[in-house]
Amino acid sequence: MIRILIVDDEQSIRHTLSRFLLKAGYQVDTAESAIIGKQMFVAKPYDIVVSDIVMPRMTGIELMEFIRTIDTQCRILIMTGEATVETAARAVTAGANGYLNKPILKEAFLADIESNVRAVEENKKKEKISIQKDQYRDLLENTVAASTETLKRSMASIIHLLSDVTEYRDPYTSGHQRRVGNLAAAISRKMNFTPEFCNMVRAIGYIHDIGKMIVPSEILTKPGKLNEIEYKLIQMHAQSGYDMLQHVILPKNFAIAIGQHHERMDGSGYPNKLKGSEILFESHILIVSDVVETMMTHRPYRPALGVDQALEEISYFRTKKYHPEVVDACIELFNKDYYSLEDSLGEIHIPL
Ligand SMILES: [Fe+2]
């Protein structure tokens, strides 16, 4: 229901106008001063305010200026007995939607009110549509966010599954990939890479030996020394990992870094004898993490060598085989931050 407020210090005008409006079916209140009108508006805003200009203590223009500070949609009609072009212009400038000359004639007054009622209804309709649009957009955004989250979580769970499947075939290295991934993420954090990069390096580490799926498990678990053919078969896991992942929908660095995790700075690695900057930075981090983790943990053919020997190895071959900045970050991580190898599941976030 449209609510209308009449503000005039002349009682006869208040009565006459409110009678016109009540008869026409509107809900009407009256105020005998602009100050009372202001208080009534603050208590409960009106759709249309019809106000006299000249009133004691507060004018109709001042009332209108106040209303405009809290409500831009309310329709305001100004009326006066001393109609001049200046007062009309001032009223419109201050935000009036209409200007009525006294004496006010019933038909013209109701026609004015009617057209303002239509404007109010139109505004309310637009406001409703705009609220519905906002609600729809919020719903859509929430749905997309929820689906993206589900997708990310399912991708992360598939990474965990692949990690576990690889290690089931080689129980002697159980947890190796997770420890490498967690160490690679810690080195990346130490080097101030973004959280996205750190999480991605972790995820790559978790499946970096996926190519071992093609290696017979008797070779993977063989306690003694490997012969040349067996060694060559094991070495194939880096290229196989790349081949297996290159068509999977993951950031392309996954397949590349996995294919390069046995390369070395001086070109002495495999499978492609890449050198220095030909190797992806993610791979450089993975390479150091893999070497350190492998040396620090027990293998069927030898006991764990310990952190000191592992750090000595990367330090000795700093620049020659391993990226110097990665080596420095890794050494600092163990010697200053007392990092210890961690095989618990870390947060995996794969950029979509
Ligand atoms: Fe490997």
Side-chain angles (χ1 to χ4, degrees), residues 176-177 208-210 212 234 237-238 258 261-262 270 290 294:
H176 161 70
Q177 295 186 107
H208 73 274
D209 274 337
I210 193 167
K212 283 190 176 168
I234 291 243
H237 80 278
I258 287 170
H261 82 273
H262 283 285
Y270 61 85
D290 191 24
T294 303

Side-chain angles (χ1 to χ4, degrees), residues 112-129:
D112 260 349
I113 291 292
E114 226 170 86
S115 79
N116 280 284
V117 165
R118 276 198 298 276
V120 169
E121 284 169 345
E122 197 55 39
N123 274 344
K124 286 189 174 176
K125 211 186 285 174
K126 277 185 196 158
E127 214 169 280
K128 198 175 164 192
I129 291 172

Side-chain angles (χ1 to χ4, degrees), residues 80-133:
T80 181
E82 319 129 29
T84 62
V85 176
E86 290 82 57
T87 36
R90 196 175 153 220
V92 172
T93 313
N97 301 98
Y99 190 82
L100 306 168
N101 286 324
K102 287 178 179 175
I104 291 173
L105 302 173
K106 185 181 176 186
E107 281 70 29
F109 175 63
L110 287 177
D112 260 349
I113 291 292
E114 226 170 86
S115 79
N116 280 284
V117 165
R118 276 198 298 276
V120 169
E121 284 169 345
E122 197 55 39
N123 274 344
K124 286 189 174 176
K125 211 186 285 174
K126 277 185 196 158
E127 214 169 280
K128 198 175 164 192
I129 291 172
S130 155
I131 290 170
Q132 281 171 341
K133 269 187 190 165

Side-chain angles (χ1 to χ4, degrees), residues 7-12 14 31-34 52 54-56 102:
V7 186
D8 201 307
D9 54 343
E10 273 185 58
Q11 194 188 31
S12 59
R14 292 200 304 274
E32 70 256 36
S33 72
D52 187 21
V54 184
M55 286 177 284
K102 287 178 179 175

